[in-house]
mmCIF file with all atom_site columns, all heavy atoms in Angstrom:
data_model
loop_
_atom_site.group_PDB
_atom_site.id
_atom_site.type_symbol
_atom_site.label_atom_id
_atom_site.label_alt_id
_atom_site.label_comp_id
_atom_site.label_asym_id
_atom_site.label_entity_id
_atom_site.label_seq_id
_atom_site.pdbx_PDB_ins_code
_atom_site.Cartn_x
_atom_site.Cartn_y
_atom_site.Cartn_z
_atom_site.occupancy
_atom_site.B_iso_or_equiv
_atom_site.pdbx_formal_charge
_atom_site.auth_seq_id
_atom_site.auth_comp_id
_atom_site.auth_asym_id
_atom_site.auth_atom_id
_atom_site.pdbx_PDB_model_num
ATOM 1   N N   . GLY A 1 16 ? 153.067 188.491 120.948 1.00 92.00 ? 609 GLY A N   1
ATOM 2   C CA  . GLY A 1 16 ? 153.070 188.915 122.331 1.00 92.00 ? 609 GLY A CA  1
ATOM 3   C C   . GLY A 1 16 ? 154.182 188.278 123.155 1.00 92.00 ? 609 GLY A C   1
ATOM 4   O O   . GLY A 1 16 ? 154.866 188.954 123.933 1.00 92.00 ? 609 GLY A O   1
ATOM 5   N N   . LEU A 1 17 ? 154.448 186.997 122.881 1.00 90.00 ? 610 LEU A N   1
ATOM 6   C CA  . LEU A 1 17 ? 155.558 186.292 123.654 1.00 90.00 ? 610 LEU A CA  1
ATOM 7   C C   . LEU A 1 17 ? 156.940 186.898 123.205 1.00 90.00 ? 610 LEU A C   1
ATOM 8   O O   . LEU A 1 17 ? 157.796 187.034 124.054 1.00 90.00 ? 610 LEU A O   1
ATOM 9   C CB  . LEU A 1 17 ? 155.507 184.815 123.435 1.00 90.00 ? 610 LEU A CB  1
ATOM 10  C CG  . LEU A 1 17 ? 154.394 184.075 124.193 1.00 90.00 ? 610 LEU A CG  1
ATOM 11  C CD1 . LEU A 1 17 ? 154.332 182.600 123.782 1.00 90.00 ? 610 LEU A CD1 1
ATOM 12  C CD2 . LEU A 1 17 ? 154.620 184.190 125.700 1.00 90.00 ? 610 LEU A CD2 1
ATOM 13  N N   . PHE A 1 18 ? 157.118 187.192 121.897 1.00 90.00 ? 611 PHE A N   1
ATOM 14  C CA  . PHE A 1 18 ? 158.380 187.792 121.427 1.00 90.00 ? 611 PHE A CA  1
ATOM 15  C C   . PHE A 1 18 ? 158.576 189.161 122.144 1.00 90.00 ? 611 PHE A C   1
ATOM 16  O O   . PHE A 1 18 ? 159.708 189.465 122.595 1.00 90.00 ? 611 PHE A O   1
ATOM 17  C CB  . PHE A 1 18 ? 158.378 187.941 119.970 1.00 90.00 ? 611 PHE A CB  1
ATOM 18  C CG  . PHE A 1 18 ? 158.911 186.773 119.223 1.00 90.00 ? 611 PHE A CG  1
ATOM 19  C CD1 . PHE A 1 18 ? 158.143 186.149 118.211 1.00 90.00 ? 611 PHE A CD1 1
ATOM 20  C CD2 . PHE A 1 18 ? 160.157 186.190 119.506 1.00 90.00 ? 611 PHE A CD2 1
ATOM 21  C CE1 . PHE A 1 18 ? 158.594 185.071 117.509 1.00 90.00 ? 611 PHE A CE1 1
ATOM 22  C CE2 . PHE A 1 18 ? 160.629 185.089 118.830 1.00 90.00 ? 611 PHE A CE2 1
ATOM 23  C CZ  . PHE A 1 18 ? 159.813 184.555 117.820 1.00 90.00 ? 611 PHE A CZ  1
ATOM 24  N N   . ILE A 1 19 ? 157.546 189.942 122.272 1.00 91.00 ? 612 ILE A N   1
ATOM 25  C CA  . ILE A 1 19 ? 157.638 191.262 122.861 1.00 91.00 ? 612 ILE A CA  1
ATOM 26  C C   . ILE A 1 19 ? 158.005 191.041 124.361 1.00 91.00 ? 612 ILE A C   1
ATOM 27  O O   . ILE A 1 19 ? 158.936 191.753 124.897 1.00 91.00 ? 612 ILE A O   1
ATOM 28  C CB  . ILE A 1 19 ? 156.318 192.032 122.705 1.00 91.00 ? 612 ILE A CB  1
ATOM 29  C CG1 . ILE A 1 19 ? 156.214 192.428 121.206 1.00 91.00 ? 612 ILE A CG1 1
ATOM 30  C CG2 . ILE A 1 19 ? 156.333 193.278 123.577 1.00 91.00 ? 612 ILE A CG2 1
ATOM 31  C CD1 . ILE A 1 19 ? 154.921 193.010 120.874 1.00 91.00 ? 612 ILE A CD1 1
ATOM 32  N N   . GLN A 1 20 ? 157.382 190.150 125.069 1.00 91.00 ? 613 GLN A N   1
ATOM 33  C CA  . GLN A 1 20 ? 157.527 189.998 126.488 1.00 91.00 ? 613 GLN A CA  1
ATOM 34  C C   . GLN A 1 20 ? 158.961 189.416 126.763 1.00 91.00 ? 613 GLN A C   1
ATOM 35  O O   . GLN A 1 20 ? 159.684 190.011 127.583 1.00 91.00 ? 613 GLN A O   1
ATOM 36  C CB  . GLN A 1 20 ? 156.512 188.999 127.132 1.00 91.00 ? 613 GLN A CB  1
ATOM 37  C CG  . GLN A 1 20 ? 155.201 189.672 127.162 1.00 91.00 ? 613 GLN A CG  1
ATOM 38  C CD  . GLN A 1 20 ? 155.125 190.718 128.169 1.00 91.00 ? 613 GLN A CD  1
ATOM 39  O OE1 . GLN A 1 20 ? 155.649 190.764 129.242 1.00 91.00 ? 613 GLN A OE1 1
ATOM 40  N NE2 . GLN A 1 20 ? 154.344 191.795 127.796 1.00 91.00 ? 613 GLN A NE2 1
ATOM 41  N N   . VAL A 1 21 ? 159.374 188.416 126.031 1.00 91.00 ? 614 VAL A N   1
ATOM 42  C CA  . VAL A 1 21 ? 160.673 187.766 126.300 1.00 91.00 ? 614 VAL A CA  1
ATOM 43  C C   . VAL A 1 21 ? 161.797 188.719 125.792 1.00 91.00 ? 614 VAL A C   1
ATOM 44  O O   . VAL A 1 21 ? 162.834 188.842 126.473 1.00 91.00 ? 614 VAL A O   1
ATOM 45  C CB  . VAL A 1 21 ? 160.758 186.367 125.588 1.00 91.00 ? 614 VAL A CB  1
ATOM 46  C CG1 . VAL A 1 21 ? 162.216 185.810 125.643 1.00 91.00 ? 614 VAL A CG1 1
ATOM 47  C CG2 . VAL A 1 21 ? 159.772 185.419 126.161 1.00 91.00 ? 614 VAL A CG2 1
ATOM 48  N N   . GLY A 1 22 ? 161.525 189.389 124.610 1.00 90.00 ? 615 GLY A N   1
ATOM 49  C CA  . GLY A 1 22 ? 162.568 190.352 124.193 1.00 90.00 ? 615 GLY A CA  1
ATOM 50  C C   . GLY A 1 22 ? 162.767 191.491 125.097 1.00 90.00 ? 615 GLY A C   1
ATOM 51  O O   . GLY A 1 22 ? 163.879 192.014 125.331 1.00 90.00 ? 615 GLY A O   1
ATOM 52  N N   . GLY A 1 23 ? 161.673 191.956 125.763 1.00 90.00 ? 616 GLY A N   1
ATOM 53  C CA  . GLY A 1 23 ? 161.818 192.981 126.738 1.00 90.00 ? 616 GLY A CA  1
ATOM 54  C C   . GLY A 1 23 ? 162.522 192.597 128.003 1.00 90.00 ? 616 GLY A C   1
ATOM 55  O O   . GLY A 1 23 ? 163.187 193.333 128.680 1.00 90.00 ? 616 GLY A O   1
ATOM 56  N N   . TRP A 1 24 ? 162.357 191.331 128.360 1.00 92.00 ? 617 TRP A N   1
ATOM 57  C CA  . TRP A 1 24 ? 162.922 190.748 129.515 1.00 92.00 ? 617 TRP A CA  1
ATOM 58  C C   . TRP A 1 24 ? 164.427 190.403 129.359 1.00 92.00 ? 617 TRP A C   1
ATOM 59  O O   . TRP A 1 24 ? 165.247 190.729 130.110 1.00 92.00 ? 617 TRP A O   1
ATOM 60  C CB  . TRP A 1 24 ? 162.123 189.542 129.967 1.00 92.00 ? 617 TRP A CB  1
ATOM 61  C CG  . TRP A 1 24 ? 162.529 188.957 131.318 1.00 92.00 ? 617 TRP A CG  1
ATOM 62  C CD1 . TRP A 1 24 ? 162.760 189.573 132.467 1.00 92.00 ? 617 TRP A CD1 1
ATOM 63  C CD2 . TRP A 1 24 ? 162.808 187.569 131.529 1.00 92.00 ? 617 TRP A CD2 1
ATOM 64  N NE1 . TRP A 1 24 ? 163.095 188.705 133.434 1.00 92.00 ? 617 TRP A NE1 1
ATOM 65  C CE2 . TRP A 1 24 ? 163.162 187.434 132.855 1.00 92.00 ? 617 TRP A CE2 1
ATOM 66  C CE3 . TRP A 1 24 ? 162.758 186.446 130.705 1.00 92.00 ? 617 TRP A CE3 1
ATOM 67  C CZ2 . TRP A 1 24 ? 163.533 186.197 133.444 1.00 92.00 ? 617 TRP A CZ2 1
ATOM 68  C CZ3 . TRP A 1 24 ? 163.084 185.169 131.283 1.00 92.00 ? 617 TRP A CZ3 1
ATOM 69  C CH2 . TRP A 1 24 ? 163.431 185.150 132.634 1.00 92.00 ? 617 TRP A CH2 1
ATOM 70  N N   . LEU A 1 25 ? 164.726 189.675 128.211 1.00 89.00 ? 618 LEU A N   1
ATOM 71  C CA  . LEU A 1 25 ? 166.086 189.228 127.972 1.00 89.00 ? 618 LEU A CA  1
ATOM 72  C C   . LEU A 1 25 ? 166.868 190.123 127.031 1.00 89.00 ? 618 LEU A C   1
ATOM 73  O O   . LEU A 1 25 ? 168.096 190.139 127.109 1.00 89.00 ? 618 LEU A O   1
ATOM 74  C CB  . LEU A 1 25 ? 166.068 187.853 127.373 1.00 89.00 ? 618 LEU A CB  1
ATOM 75  C CG  . LEU A 1 25 ? 165.555 186.669 128.221 1.00 89.00 ? 618 LEU A CG  1
ATOM 76  C CD1 . LEU A 1 25 ? 165.473 185.394 127.423 1.00 89.00 ? 618 LEU A CD1 1
ATOM 77  C CD2 . LEU A 1 25 ? 166.379 186.535 129.465 1.00 89.00 ? 618 LEU A CD2 1
ATOM 78  N N   . GLY A 1 26 ? 166.220 190.836 126.115 1.00 90.00 ? 619 GLY A N   1
ATOM 79  C CA  . GLY A 1 26 ? 166.899 191.573 125.075 1.00 90.00 ? 619 GLY A CA  1
ATOM 80  C C   . GLY A 1 26 ? 166.766 190.827 123.763 1.00 90.00 ? 619 GLY A C   1
ATOM 81  O O   . GLY A 1 26 ? 166.332 189.745 123.638 1.00 90.00 ? 619 GLY A O   1
ATOM 82  N N   . LEU A 1 27 ? 167.214 191.564 122.683 1.00 89.00 ? 620 LEU A N   1
ATOM 83  C CA  . LEU A 1 27 ? 167.083 191.065 121.339 1.00 89.00 ? 620 LEU A CA  1
ATOM 84  C C   . LEU A 1 27 ? 167.892 189.826 121.086 1.00 89.00 ? 620 LEU A C   1
ATOM 85  O O   . LEU A 1 27 ? 167.369 188.802 120.646 1.00 89.00 ? 620 LEU A O   1
ATOM 86  C CB  . LEU A 1 27 ? 167.414 192.183 120.268 1.00 89.00 ? 620 LEU A CB  1
ATOM 87  C CG  . LEU A 1 27 ? 167.492 191.716 118.859 1.00 89.00 ? 620 LEU A CG  1
ATOM 88  C CD1 . LEU A 1 27 ? 166.022 191.387 118.402 1.00 89.00 ? 620 LEU A CD1 1
ATOM 89  C CD2 . LEU A 1 27 ? 168.114 192.805 118.009 1.00 89.00 ? 620 LEU A CD2 1
ATOM 90  N N   . TRP A 1 28 ? 169.185 189.886 121.306 1.00 92.00 ? 621 TRP A N   1
ATOM 91  C CA  . TRP A 1 28 ? 170.101 188.761 120.904 1.00 92.00 ? 621 TRP A CA  1
ATOM 92  C C   . TRP A 1 28 ? 169.856 187.520 121.731 1.00 92.00 ? 621 TRP A C   1
ATOM 93  O O   . TRP A 1 28 ? 169.825 186.407 121.089 1.00 92.00 ? 621 TRP A O   1
ATOM 94  C CB  . TRP A 1 28 ? 171.564 189.257 120.940 1.00 92.00 ? 621 TRP A CB  1
ATOM 95  C CG  . TRP A 1 28 ? 171.848 190.297 119.934 1.00 92.00 ? 621 TRP A CG  1
ATOM 96  C CD1 . TRP A 1 28 ? 172.094 191.607 120.223 1.00 92.00 ? 621 TRP A CD1 1
ATOM 97  C CD2 . TRP A 1 28 ? 171.737 190.139 118.517 1.00 92.00 ? 621 TRP A CD2 1
ATOM 98  N NE1 . TRP A 1 28 ? 172.195 192.268 119.015 1.00 92.00 ? 621 TRP A NE1 1
ATOM 99  C CE2 . TRP A 1 28 ? 172.018 191.440 117.948 1.00 92.00 ? 621 TRP A CE2 1
ATOM 100 C CE3 . TRP A 1 28 ? 171.509 189.090 117.651 1.00 92.00 ? 621 TRP A CE3 1
ATOM 101 C CZ2 . TRP A 1 28 ? 171.991 191.626 116.570 1.00 92.00 ? 621 TRP A CZ2 1
ATOM 102 C CZ3 . TRP A 1 28 ? 171.487 189.248 116.338 1.00 92.00 ? 621 TRP A CZ3 1
ATOM 103 C CH2 . TRP A 1 28 ? 171.800 190.545 115.767 1.00 92.00 ? 621 TRP A CH2 1
ATOM 104 N N   . PRO A 1 29 ? 169.656 187.542 123.034 1.00 92.00 ? 622 PRO A N   1
ATOM 105 C CA  . PRO A 1 29 ? 169.347 186.285 123.703 1.00 92.00 ? 622 PRO A CA  1
ATOM 106 C C   . PRO A 1 29 ? 168.021 185.691 123.243 1.00 92.00 ? 622 PRO A C   1
ATOM 107 O O   . PRO A 1 29 ? 167.870 184.483 123.134 1.00 92.00 ? 622 PRO A O   1
ATOM 108 C CB  . PRO A 1 29 ? 169.259 186.750 125.174 1.00 92.00 ? 622 PRO A CB  1
ATOM 109 C CG  . PRO A 1 29 ? 170.106 187.937 125.306 1.00 92.00 ? 622 PRO A CG  1
ATOM 110 C CD  . PRO A 1 29 ? 169.969 188.618 123.972 1.00 92.00 ? 622 PRO A CD  1
ATOM 111 N N   . THR A 1 30 ? 167.029 186.554 122.893 1.00 91.00 ? 623 THR A N   1
ATOM 112 C CA  . THR A 1 30 ? 165.715 186.039 122.443 1.00 91.00 ? 623 THR A CA  1
ATOM 113 C C   . THR A 1 30 ? 165.932 185.291 121.107 1.00 91.00 ? 623 THR A C   1
ATOM 114 O O   . THR A 1 30 ? 165.445 184.240 120.920 1.00 91.00 ? 623 THR A O   1
ATOM 115 C CB  . THR A 1 30 ? 164.725 187.204 122.240 1.00 91.00 ? 623 THR A CB  1
ATOM 116 O OG1 . THR A 1 30 ? 164.562 187.868 123.528 1.00 91.00 ? 623 THR A OG1 1
ATOM 117 C CG2 . THR A 1 30 ? 163.425 186.704 121.828 1.00 91.00 ? 623 THR A CG2 1
ATOM 118 N N   . ILE A 1 33 ? 167.707 182.043 121.586 1.00 91.00 ? 626 ILE A N   1
ATOM 119 C CA  . ILE A 1 33 ? 166.789 180.963 122.118 1.00 91.00 ? 626 ILE A CA  1
ATOM 120 C C   . ILE A 1 33 ? 165.965 180.361 120.982 1.00 91.00 ? 626 ILE A C   1
ATOM 121 O O   . ILE A 1 33 ? 165.814 179.161 120.855 1.00 91.00 ? 626 ILE A O   1
ATOM 122 C CB  . ILE A 1 33 ? 165.902 181.516 123.258 1.00 91.00 ? 626 ILE A CB  1
ATOM 123 C CG1 . ILE A 1 33 ? 166.714 181.764 124.488 1.00 91.00 ? 626 ILE A CG1 1
ATOM 124 C CG2 . ILE A 1 33 ? 164.776 180.517 123.508 1.00 91.00 ? 626 ILE A CG2 1
ATOM 125 C CD1 . ILE A 1 33 ? 165.974 182.519 125.577 1.00 91.00 ? 626 ILE A CD1 1
ATOM 126 N N   . PHE A 1 88 ? 157.856 180.901 120.612 1.00 91.00 ? 681 PHE A N   1
ATOM 127 C CA  . PHE A 1 88 ? 157.929 180.239 121.893 1.00 91.00 ? 681 PHE A CA  1
ATOM 128 C C   . PHE A 1 88 ? 156.729 179.294 122.074 1.00 91.00 ? 681 PHE A C   1
ATOM 129 O O   . PHE A 1 88 ? 156.833 178.207 122.649 1.00 91.00 ? 681 PHE A O   1
ATOM 130 C CB  . PHE A 1 88 ? 158.045 181.198 123.002 1.00 91.00 ? 681 PHE A CB  1
ATOM 131 C CG  . PHE A 1 88 ? 159.333 182.014 122.984 1.00 91.00 ? 681 PHE A CG  1
ATOM 132 C CD1 . PHE A 1 88 ? 159.341 183.327 122.632 1.00 91.00 ? 681 PHE A CD1 1
ATOM 133 C CD2 . PHE A 1 88 ? 160.552 181.425 123.265 1.00 91.00 ? 681 PHE A CD2 1
ATOM 134 C CE1 . PHE A 1 88 ? 160.482 184.103 122.553 1.00 91.00 ? 681 PHE A CE1 1
ATOM 135 C CE2 . PHE A 1 88 ? 161.710 182.118 123.178 1.00 91.00 ? 681 PHE A CE2 1
ATOM 136 C CZ  . PHE A 1 88 ? 161.727 183.446 122.874 1.00 91.00 ? 681 PHE A CZ  1
#
Side-chain angles (χ1 to χ4, degrees):
L610 286 173
F611 272 126
I612 291 170
Q613 290 294 320
V614 173
W617 185 50
L618 292 178
L620 174 67
W621 294 111
T623 303
I626 290 172
F681 296 107

